[in-house]
Amino acid sequence: MRGRPEAGWGKTAVMAMAEKFDSLEEHLEKFVENIRQLGIIVSDFQPSSQAGLNQKLNFMVTGLQDIDKCRQQLHDISVPLEVFEYIDQGRNPQLYTKECLERALAKNEQVKGKIDTMKKFKSLLIQELTKVFPEDMAKYKAIRGEDPPP
Amino acid sequence: SRQGGAVGRPRAGHAGKMENFSALFGGAEPPPAAAAALGFGPAKAPGAGAAPPPAAAAAPPPGEDAARKAAAGPFYLLRELPGTTELTGSTNLITHYNLEHAYNKFCGKKVKEKLSNFLPDLPGMIDLPGSHDNSSLRSLIEKPPICGSSFTPLTGTMLTGFRLHAGPLPEQCRLMHIQPPKKKNKHKHKQSRTQDPVPPETPSDSDHKKKKKKKEEDPERKRKKKEKKKKKNRHSPEHPGVGSSQASSSSSLR
């Protein structure tokens, strides 16, 4: 791990995480399918279906056991609570990711604008002060040790 | 300026009033001409137009203050700049954290609104709000169900509690929201499924279901047609065999 470059280590970690998610996804899909079949059996039950029903019920328990085992591998994963709001409203959770990225970009642009404006103001202020108070501004620059204004 | 005007231009008849005015606000001091012209108070430091220091709410310790003043020279309000960081808001954070791919994926293309577009294989009416059928994730977090620490398989005695009566469920209890999972060409194997009950159509699945129904009904239709044809053939007088036996039976009844 020490000898590998950062990009390679990142890819390996991502692949390992993807495998854990795939495993959980597979178990969940099997569980949901089992429940769906259980519902079908129950909706029009026949005496001959009792054995199958019992099997499905036990598979439900083992399915929950498998899902519980997956939980240990994913204990470090955090899910933002806001995503649950989207899911509870029947909305695609990818919309949350999209809105997060858009908000981050908008805020980034806003802060960049502020920083750039403040930098321009600073340089203009130093420039004008240098015209009015050249000696004092020279002392100021010597104290600060900053770059001279453009 | 009023005060300066009052001092600079004493008027006859107003002397008594000005005295009262002076008494109210204390002795009028002649302000320096430059400061008065600018509207500032008396300047303490000569030369540079340094304003009198305002009263600081939190005064720094005297030792630090003196050291700072000595280093700052005439700029006694000069403070140390905050530490500089490489990462600020002026950096494109999406590029910095290698999120361009994610940004293009989520913001470049149109993301579908419904939850069923994200989970197409999940059965049930998942596009409805969770509050309708008390299946919200929020309620699960706020009021987690009380359960044991481990999952134990059901024994034979326990399974006797799941012996059901034969026959269809009453309409009230029917799981009408079950939808057959949408088939997609994936590498995952498909499990064998029994025949599904006819669910109600939804706007998103109507086309897909219609196609499925047509496919399912076509062989059934063919069988039914064949059966009907056979029945017709049996009952028609043209065909011998069964038809004749029926004719004979009918004649015997008479």
Side-chain angles (χ1 to χ4, degrees):
Chain A
M1 291 290 276
R2 285 180 189 174
R4 294 182 188 176
E6 227 175 72
W9 181 82
K11 279 184 184 175
T12 310
V14 166
M15 282 165 63
M17 191 58 68
E19 281 176 9
K20 290 175 190 175
F21 281 125
D22 287 341
S23 169
L24 176 64
E25 193 178 337
E26 194 179 331
H27 286 301
L28 284 170
E29 282 181 354
K30 282 182 183 173
F31 184 78
V32 167
E33 178 61 22
N34 182 62
I35 298 289
R36 194 187 70 84
Q37 291 179 10
L38 201 63
I40 292 164
I41 293 171
V42 168
S43 63
D44 193 4
F45 186 73
Q46 303 299 325
S48 56
S49 311
Q50 185 66 52
L53 177 73
N54 293 346
Q55 190 186 21
K56 299 284 178 199
L57 287 168
N58 272 317
F59 189 78
M60 205 164 72
V61 177
T62 54
L64 286 169
Q65 284 174 336
D66 294 336
I67 293 166
D68 194 47
K69 284 174 192 170
C70 292
R71 191 181 61 149
Q72 295 164 8
Q73 295 176 346
L74 298 164
H75 63 92
D76 55 342
I77 300 294
S78 300
V79 180
L81 282 174
E82 290 85 2
V83 182
F84 294 155
E85 297 292 329
Y86 282 70
I87 295 169
D88 288 340
Q89 290 167 17
R91 296 177 71 198
N92 192 340
Q94 288 178 335
L95 290 169
Y96 170 76
T97 311
K98 179 186 173 183
E99 286 176 21
C100 269
L101 284 165
E102 286 174 347
R103 270 188 272 140
L105 188 69
K107 192 71 182 177
N108 198 174
E109 286 175 353
Q110 189 187 22
V111 172
K112 185 180 187 309
K114 281 183 184 175
I115 291 171
D116 290 346
T117 309
M118 294 299 281
K119 277 182 181 174
K120 282 179 189 173
F121 173 68
K122 181 188 171 185
S123 65
L124 279 171
L125 184 64
I126 287 174
Q127 198 177 349
E128 294 301 318
L129 283 170
T130 307
K131 287 178 190 173
V132 180
F133 307 110
E135 292 173 1
D136 292 310
M137 287 310 294
K139 286 179 192 174
Y140 171 81
K141 284 170 195 173
I143 291 165
R144 280 288 188 218
E146 289 174 317
D147 298 331
Chain B
S1 60
R2 264 192 195 176
Q3 209 173 0
V7 170
R9 302 173 192 172
R11 291 182 183 179
H14 292 280
K17 284 184 182 176
M18 291 318 297
E19 278 178 4
N20 290 333
F21 185 83
S22 303
L24 281 172
F25 290 97
E29 297 170 9
L38 288 170
F40 289 131
K44 287 180 183 179
E64 284 182 17
D65 195 20
R68 197 178 65 202
K69 279 184 182 177
F75 309 107
Y76 48 85
L77 288 176
L78 205 63
R79 293 177 188 273
E80 288 179 11
L81 286 172
T84 55
T85 53
E86 287 182 10
L87 190 62
T88 61
S90 60
T91 314
N92 187 342
L93 297 172
I94 288 179
T95 314
H96 179 81
Y97 288 107
N98 298 321
L99 290 171
E100 296 121 322
H101 178 71
Y103 183 80
N104 291 329
K105 181 185 169 187
F106 291 106
C107 303
K109 305 168 193 173
K110 191 181 175 183
V111 178
K112 292 184 181 176
E113 182 73 23
K114 289 183 183 175
L115 184 59
S116 56
N117 298 121
F118 179 68
L119 296 168
D121 296 334
L122 202 64
M125 305 285 278
I126 60 174
D127 293 333
L128 294 175
S131 54
H132 280 219
D133 53 358
N134 201 26
S135 64
S136 65
L137 293 168
R138 198 73 176 178
S139 62
L140 200 65
I141 294 164
E142 289 170 358
K143 291 179 189 176
I146 300 165
C147 52
S149 58
S150 62
F151 299 99
T152 52
L154 298 167
T155 60
T157 314
M158 290 178 191
L159 285 169
T160 54
F162 290 97
R163 283 184 187 165
L164 306 178
H165 293 289
L169 281 175
E171 286 188 9
Q172 294 169 1
C173 304
R174 271 185 181 272
L175 295 169
M176 298 301 287
H177 58 272
I178 287 181
Q179 296 173 7
K182 294 173 192 176
K183 291 180 183 177
K184 270 197 174 182
N185 293 327
K186 279 189 178 179
H187 63 276
K188 292 172 186 175
H189 66 276
K190 295 170 192 174
Q191 296 176 1
S192 59
R193 284 186 233 117
T194 55
Q195 283 187 357
D196 302 339
V198 180
E201 284 190 355
T202 56
S204 60
D205 302 331
S206 57
D207 292 334
H208 190 66
K209 282 190 178 179
K210 275 178 186 172
K211 285 179 187 175
K212 264 194 177 179
K213 275 186 180 175
K214 277 183 185 174
K215 283 180 188 174
E216 287 174 0
E217 285 174 1
D218 281 337
E220 286 182 9
R221 274 184 184 175
K222 283 181 184 175
R223 283 177 199 170
K224 284 180 183 176
K225 279 182 184 175
K226 281 181 184 175
E227 285 175 4
K228 277 182 183 176
K229 277 185 184 176
K230 282 181 186 174
K231 282 181 184 177
K232 279 182 184 175
N233 291 334
R234 282 174 195 170
H235 290 292
S236 65
E238 293 174 7
H239 287 267
V242 180
S244 59
S245 65
Q246 280 191 357
S248 62
S249 65
S250 63
S251 62
S252 65
L253 283 170
R254 287 178 190 172

